[in-house]
């Protein structure tokens, strides 16, 4: 009889140990889950945890997450400072750049020698390039820091494609480039203003790098989850080793140094695509042209 009682007590103690162990594990997992959730939401604070009741793992994890949260706050503060600096530069340089362009226009109306006219054209071109660079920097900075938010909404993509193509039709015609747009009824989830900006960047590159007599075609391809707007050109093409790098900020391929540009258009286009839940895909081979596809989520 005593043996049965002892066995029962031992079994009860074993069950109690198992239950306590499971309770501790559940508490530990719950605390870790709370810590990770707070860290992901940006609300983690080490002061909200009592280290005297934490395991060694919880304590080390708390310190790690606290350091990560501090690093994230410092990074955000740096981005905010850069954005403010770029905005200040943009504001301070707007009037001088406008004056440079105005004075260049006034000089162009005066009787000038060939050399003087060439210098005036260079001044005007550089002022325009500087203005474009500043605008692109401001847009990129505000997109990165979330100051400018995109507002994707479902709708037909054709009007945006047609507006973007119409802006570059005169430039293509001047270079004797055949610019065509395919008919489509496809729909997507996108921000019309910023998507047009992205397409204009792709068309600008296509017309810029396509030689006279070439062709640029814009077509829309609907897929199951995305709608792709493809800009295909008959330019020189891009080597495979350069394709991943051309989307970097200020990067320009070695063969593009003689062509106007600042190397920020494709970077901005990628930012716009990602902010809308899409992405950019490039297909290109030297000598066969390039195809940049802007993928946008469908409804």
């Amino acid at each position: 009889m005593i043996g049965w009682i002892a066995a029962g007590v031992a079994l009860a103690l074993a069950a109690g140990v198992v239950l306590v162990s499971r309770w501790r594990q559940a508490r530990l997992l719950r605390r870790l889950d709370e810590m990770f959730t707070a860290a992901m939401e940006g609300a983690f604070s080490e002061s909200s945890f009592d280290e005297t009741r934490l395991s060694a793992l919880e304590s080390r994890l708390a310190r790690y997450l606290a350091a990560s949260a501090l690093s994230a706050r410092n990074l955000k503060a740096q981005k905010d400072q850069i954005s403010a600096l770029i905005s200040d530069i943009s504001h301070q340089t707007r009037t001088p750049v406008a004056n440079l362009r105005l004075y260049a226009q006034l000089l162009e109306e005066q009787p000038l020698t060939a050399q003087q006219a060439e210098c005036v054209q260079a001044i005007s071109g550089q002022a325009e390039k500087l203005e474009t660079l500043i605008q692109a920097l401001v847009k990129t900075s505000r997109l990165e820091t979330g100051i400018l938010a995109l507002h994707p909404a479902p709708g037909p993509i054709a009007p945006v494609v047609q507006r973007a193509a119409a802006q570059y039709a005169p430039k293509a015609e001047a270079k004797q480039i055949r610019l065509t747009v395919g008919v489509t009824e496809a729909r997507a989830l996108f921000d019309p203003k910023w998507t047009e900006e992205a397409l204009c960047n792709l068309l600008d590159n296509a017309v810029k790098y396509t030689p006279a007599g070439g062709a640029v075609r814009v077509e829309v391809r609907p897929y199951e989850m995305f709608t792709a707007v493809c800009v295909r050109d008959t330019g020189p093409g891009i080597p495979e080793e350069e394709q991943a790098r051309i989307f970097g900020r200020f990067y320009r391929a070695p063969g593009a140094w003689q062509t106007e540009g600042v190397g920020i258009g494709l970077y901005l286009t990628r930012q716009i695509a990602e902010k809308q839940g899409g992405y950019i895909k490039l297909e290109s081979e030297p000598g066969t042209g390039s195809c940049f596809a802007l993928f946008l989520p469908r409804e």
Side-chain angles (χ1 to χ4, degrees):
M1 184 66 179
I2 296 176
W4 286 101
I5 294 175
V9 171
L11 183 61
L13 289 174
V17 171
V18 171
L19 289 175
V20 170
S21 176
R22 289 185 177 180
W23 176 79
R24 288 178 176 175
Q25 290 179 358
R27 185 188 67 169
L28 175 61
L29 292 175
R30 185 173 63 254
R31 295 292 295 274
L32 293 177
D33 181 68
E34 291 173 355
M35 296 166 79
F36 278 118
T37 301
M40 288 187 294
E41 293 177 352
F44 177 78
S45 174
E46 189 178 4
S47 61
S48 63
F49 293 89
D50 185 357
E51 289 197 11
T52 61
R53 296 184 299 167
L54 292 177
S55 66
L57 174 62
E58 286 180 302
S59 179
R60 289 195 297 270
L61 182 59
R63 288 193 291 270
Y64 171 76
L65 291 178
S68 297
L70 178 61
S71 177
R73 288 194 295 270
N74 290 338
L75 181 60
K76 184 180 183 302
Q78 290 177 0
K79 285 187 175 182
D80 291 342
Q81 290 175 355
I82 292 173
S83 178
L85 177 61
I86 292 176
S87 296
D88 290 342
I89 293 174
S90 172
H91 179 74
Q92 296 297 330
T93 57
R94 187 174 300 152
T95 300
V97 171
N99 288 338
L100 282 174
R101 299 190 65 178
L102 175 61
Y103 293 144
Q105 291 176 0
L106 292 174
L107 286 173
E108 288 176 350
E109 298 174 359
Q110 305 300 318
L112 302 173
T113 65
Q115 184 177 8
Q116 290 172 338
E118 185 177 349
C119 291
V120 171
Q121 288 180 357
I123 293 173
S124 179
Q126 292 301 312
E128 183 177 356
K129 182 177 180 180
L130 179 60
E131 184 177 26
T132 301
L133 173 60
I134 292 173
Q135 291 176 353
L137 281 173
V138 171
K139 292 176 183 176
T140 303
S141 175
R142 290 178 176 176
L143 275 178
E144 290 176 338
T145 56
I147 295 176
L148 289 179
L150 277 69
H151 303 284
I157 194 68
V160 173
V161 173
Q162 291 168 357
R163 287 197 302 268
Q167 295 183 46
Y168 286 88
K171 189 174 181 179
E173 184 178 0
K175 287 187 65 176
Q176 298 181 343
I177 294 173
R178 187 172 69 258
L179 175 59
T180 58
V181 179
V183 179
T184 181
E185 296 182 358
R187 297 172 64 85
L189 192 68
F190 63 97
D191 183 303
K193 175 185 175 181
W194 286 102
T195 301
E196 183 176 339
E197 175 94 14
L199 291 177
C200 284
N201 289 335
L202 296 181
L203 283 166
D204 181 64
N205 280 347
V207 174
K208 185 188 303 179
Y209 292 105
T210 298
V216 174
R217 178 168 177 79
V218 185
E219 55 186 6
V220 180
R221 300 174 183 173
Y223 295 97
E224 183 177 355
M225 297 182 62
F226 291 91
T227 296
V229 184
C230 307
V231 179
R232 185 180 298 276
D233 63 57
T234 57
I238 303 170
E240 184 177 356
E241 61 271 16
E242 296 290 332
Q243 292 182 14
R245 303 171 66 184
I246 62 173
F247 292 99
R249 192 190 327 216
F250 299 122
Y251 180 80
R252 304 198 70 196
W257 65 274
Q258 290 182 324
T259 308
E260 62 178 8
V262 295
I264 202 171
L266 289 177
Y267 177 81
L268 180 58
T269 298
R270 187 180 66 175
Q271 291 289 320
I272 294 171
E274 291 177 352
K275 293 289 184 180
Q276 300 183 97
Y279 61 97
I280 291 286
K281 183 179 179 181
L282 168 61
E283 296 179 359
S284 181
E285 291 183 7
T288 62
S290 303
C291 179
F292 287 87
L294 173 62
F295 283 80
L296 300 169
R298 298 192 67 178
E299 295 181 60

